[in-house]
């Protein structure tokens, strides 16, 4: 049991729990649902819970049907009246297709966002509270204005709130300041720090986690705050690469990188951990890894919350074979291509238990501050790893 059962004594939920994982999040939804079933069954046996409607499943059937023209409608097939509703959506899941005038069309982030709004409007004000869990924040890369440009992410957040959404939970937002767009609504930017550390410790048995043998690297100035956190909690030094860009050109919607300039102490002989929010094409992450190996780093571990891998895995394979990268870690917060699991260097970081804990606590209106800052848990895991050189799933089972 990952929870303190006693904190739920004499507690009542905001409303009966209802979870709607959209098709893009089916696997995540099933895993989250099973965790909550197990925890609540165990709690009921210990506390003899009163006022909580225990169920075999908290998932509510819902679907988005599409017409041949590509238009769609959302429908909820069970009652949600008075329920505390949690909708899960993965806007990056391009594996889902639909027919458009006889052609096969892959769903884009816009399509997924449209389906999310359809399910929200299908609820038609009957749910007691609507919460959206969107691990990859829709349009989060278009979060600020550079010239005469749209502000897509801010607009989407405001639109969701206008539809009646009370809480929005996302993971590792590209720029957490985007929450300023909805200052009077619930917005939580959740960082899977502990999950990354646990996955790294479970799969790499020979790390020496100290300032003489390991270092945290930020691949650019935007990821600095992530690197600073890991550096502080693990007691390691950190370095940063500065992206020098050519602002006279725009390629694939962004200014191309001319060079990566390194700021920091020597990485010679050290294991280095590159921390970022996403791997898109991977070119930037791999170039940083190459620069670190040129500076005689021992091993390079690439960690990113979201593994999009938009250009495939070929270049990662080449860099692994050349010894430039040792491991790549991304979470299952978004759709993972099957080819990822064929790579011996790939480590999947599971966050389904974390999401289940968040839903379980929020449903009771309990504080989630202890889940949002896992510093003490990471230090406990570090002490355990230093003593045993591994951390199994049942060891230091915090999240």
């Amino acid at each position: 049991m990952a929870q303190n059962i006693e904190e739920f004594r004499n507690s009542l939920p905001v409303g009966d729990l209802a979870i709607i994982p959209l098709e893009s999040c089916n696997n995540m939804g099933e895993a989250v649902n099973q965790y909550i079933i197990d925890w609540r069954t165990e709690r009921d046996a210990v506390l003899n819970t009163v006022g909580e409607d225990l169920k075999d499943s908290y998932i509510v059937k819902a679907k988005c049907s599409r017409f041949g023209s590509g238009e769609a409608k959302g429908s909820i097939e069970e009652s949600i009246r008075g329920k505390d509703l949690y909708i899960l959506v993965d806007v990056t899941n391009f594996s889902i297709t639909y027919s458009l005038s006889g052609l096969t069309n892959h769903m884009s982030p816009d399509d997924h966002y449209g389906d999310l709004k359809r399910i929200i409007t299908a609820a038609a004000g009957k749910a007691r509270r609507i919460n959206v869990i969107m691990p990859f924040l829709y349009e989060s890369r278009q979060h600020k204005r550079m010239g005469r440009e749209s502000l897509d992410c801010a607009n989407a957040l405001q639109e969701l709130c206008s539809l009646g959404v009370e809480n929005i939970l996302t993971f590792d937002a590209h720029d957490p300041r985007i929450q300023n767009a909805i200052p009077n609504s619930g917005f939580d930017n959740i960082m899977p720090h502990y999950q990354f550390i646990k996955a790294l410790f479970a799969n790499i048995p020979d790390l020496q986690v100290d300032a003489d043998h390991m270092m945290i690297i930020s691949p650019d100035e935007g990821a600095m705050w992530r690197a600073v956190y890991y550096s502080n909690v693990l007691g390691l030094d950190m370095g940063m690469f500065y992206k020098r860009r050519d602002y006279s050109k725009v390629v694939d919607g962004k200014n191309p990188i001319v060079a990566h300039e390194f700021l920091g102490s020597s990485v010679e002989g050290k294991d280095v951990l590159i921390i970022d929010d996403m791997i898109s094409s991977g070119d930037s992450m791999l170039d940083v890894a190459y620069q670190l190996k040129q500076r005689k780093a021992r091993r390079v571990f690439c960690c990113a919350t979201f593994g999009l891998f938009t250009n495939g895995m070929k270049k990662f394979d080449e860099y692994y074979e050349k010894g430039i990268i040792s491991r790549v870690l991304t979470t299952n917060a978004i759709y993972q291509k099957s080819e990822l699991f064929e790579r011996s260097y790939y480590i999947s970081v599971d966050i389904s238990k974390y999401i289940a804990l968040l839903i379980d606590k929020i449903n009771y209106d309990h504080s989630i501050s202890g889940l949002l800052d896992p510093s003490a848990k990471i230090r406990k895991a570090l002490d355990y790893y230093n003593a045993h050189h591994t951390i199994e799933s049942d060891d230091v089972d915090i999240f």
Side-chain angles (χ1 to χ4, degrees):
M1 182 65 180
Q3 299 173 314
N4 176 11
I5 293 180
E6 287 300 318
E7 72 174 312
F8 290 88
R9 189 181 294 278
N10 300 322
S11 293
L12 291 175
V14 171
D16 289 345
L17 177 62
I19 301 172
I20 297 182
L22 299 191
E23 186 180 1
S24 60
C25 253
N26 268 340
N27 292 338
M28 178 67 75
E30 291 290 347
V32 166
N33 180 53
Q34 192 57 55
Y35 276 121
I36 294 176
I37 291 171
D38 293 343
W39 294 336
R40 295 196 172 189
T41 301
E42 182 177 348
R43 284 206 303 263
D44 185 62
V46 174
L47 302 178
N48 191 22
T49 310
V50 177
E52 181 178 330
D53 183 16
L54 294 180
K55 296 182 178 179
D56 294 331
S57 175
Y58 294 95
I59 292 180
V60 171
K61 293 181 180 179
K63 65 179 181 180
C64 287
S65 307
R66 289 192 178 269
F67 304 101
S69 62
E71 297 168 288
K73 65 176 180 180
S75 55
I76 300 174
E77 301 176 350
E78 301 177 34
S79 173
I80 56 163
R81 186 176 293 277
K83 295 187 182 296
D84 190 21
L85 181 60
Y86 294 79
I87 306 174
L88 280 69
V89 60
D90 173 13
V91 298
T92 70
N93 192 340
F94 63 88
S95 70
I96 301 172
T97 61
Y98 62 91
S99 177
L100 177 60
S101 297
L103 302 174
T104 299
N105 201 35
H106 287 262
M107 288 189 70
S108 70
D110 290 343
D111 292 323
H112 288 296
Y113 178 64
D115 281 356
L116 170 64
K117 291 190 291 182
R118 292 181 179 103
I119 293 299
I120 292 171
T121 54
K126 300 302 186 290
R128 178 164 299 180
R129 185 172 66 178
I130 297 178
N131 312 270
V132 168
I133 300 178
M134 187 187 295
F136 187 98
L137 188 60
Y138 174 70
E139 289 291 356
S140 58
R141 299 177 79 175
Q142 186 50 33
H143 64 286
K144 62 183 178 181
R145 178 171 284 158
M146 302 289 288
R148 188 53 57 199
E149 297 177 342
S150 58
L151 287 171
D152 295 8
C153 189
N155 183 64
L157 292 176
Q158 292 179 357
E159 185 177 21
L160 290 177
C161 291
S162 71
L163 291 173
V165 175
E166 288 196 30
N167 296 303
I168 298 172
L169 283 75
T170 192
F171 279 78
D172 204 348
H174 195 60
D175 188 336
R177 292 173 296 182
I178 192 63
Q179 63 188 294
N180 294 336
I182 48 171
N184 297 320
S185 300
F187 183 97
D188 287 295
N189 180 43
I190 302 153
M191 304 298 298
H193 296 309
Y194 174 75
Q195 286 68 28
F196 269 112
I197 295 300
K198 188 173 182 179
L200 191 68
F201 287 175
N203 289 276
I204 313 296
D206 60 343
L207 292 171
Q208 291 181 270
V209 190
D210 58 56
D212 293 327
H213 299 92
M214 196 170 181
M215 194 167 173
I216 305 295
I217 301 295
S218 172
D220 56 41
E221 60 276 19
M224 268 284 288
W225 61 276
R226 297 181 187 90
V228 167
Y229 179 88
Y230 281 98
S231 176
N232 287 337
V233 77
L234 294 174
L236 304 177
D237 195 6
M238 67 160 288
M240 183 197 81
F241 279 88
Y242 166 68
K243 291 179 181 177
R244 188 151 53 87
R245 295 181 180 272
D246 183 355
Y247 286 98
S248 66
K249 300 177 183 176
V250 176
V251 179
D252 295 331
K254 57 187 179 182
N255 303 108
I257 299 169
V258 176
H260 283 99
E261 308 290 351
F262 182 65
L263 302 173
S265 58
S266 174
V267 299
E268 185 172 354
K270 296 179 181 178
D271 289 331
V272 293
L273 199 64
I274 307 174
I275 305 292
D276 209 354
D277 62 330
M278 72 177 74
I279 294 175
S280 185
S281 66
D283 290 343
S284 179
M285 179 75 78
L286 291 175
D287 187 44
V288 167
Y290 175 79
Q291 296 289 340
L292 290 168
K293 289 300 286 187
Q294 290 293 101
R295 290 170 170 79
K296 301 181 180 180
R298 183 184 175 219
R299 292 180 297 185
V300 177
F301 301 102
C302 303
C303 300
T305 305
F306 307 109
L308 300 172
F309 300 104
T310 55
N311 289 353
M313 303 300 297
K314 183 177 179 181
K315 196 168 182 180
F316 282 87
D317 294 341
E318 293 174 359
Y319 275 54
Y320 175 68
E321 290 167 4
K322 293 177 181 177
I324 296 173
I325 60 173
S326 294
R327 292 289 188 273
V328 176
L329 294 83
T330 66
T331 73
N332 63 342
I334 62 172
Y335 171 69
Q336 295 169 295
K337 300 178 183 179
S338 58
E339 62 181 312
L340 282 174
F341 300 97
E342 299 170 2
R343 270 62 184 179
S344 59
Y345 57 82
Y346 179 69
I347 298 173
S348 178
V349 180
D350 185 13
I351 65 166
S352 58
K353 190 175 185 180
Y354 196 5
I355 292 176
L357 279 165
L358 291 162
I359 291 175
D360 199 29
K361 279 182 170 285
I362 294 172
N363 180 228
Y364 277 81
D365 256 355
H366 287 182
S367 171
I368 61 171
S369 58
L371 298 180
L372 298 181
D373 183 11
S375 302
K377 281 82 173 180
I378 292 175
R379 292 189 180 98
K380 183 178 179 182
L382 177 59
D383 291 340
Y384 189 96
Y385 179 81
N386 286 337
H388 301 87
H389 296 286
T390 187
I391 177 167
E392 300 298 337
S393 60
D394 294 328
D395 297 333
V396 198
D397 193 6
I398 298 157
F399 293 151

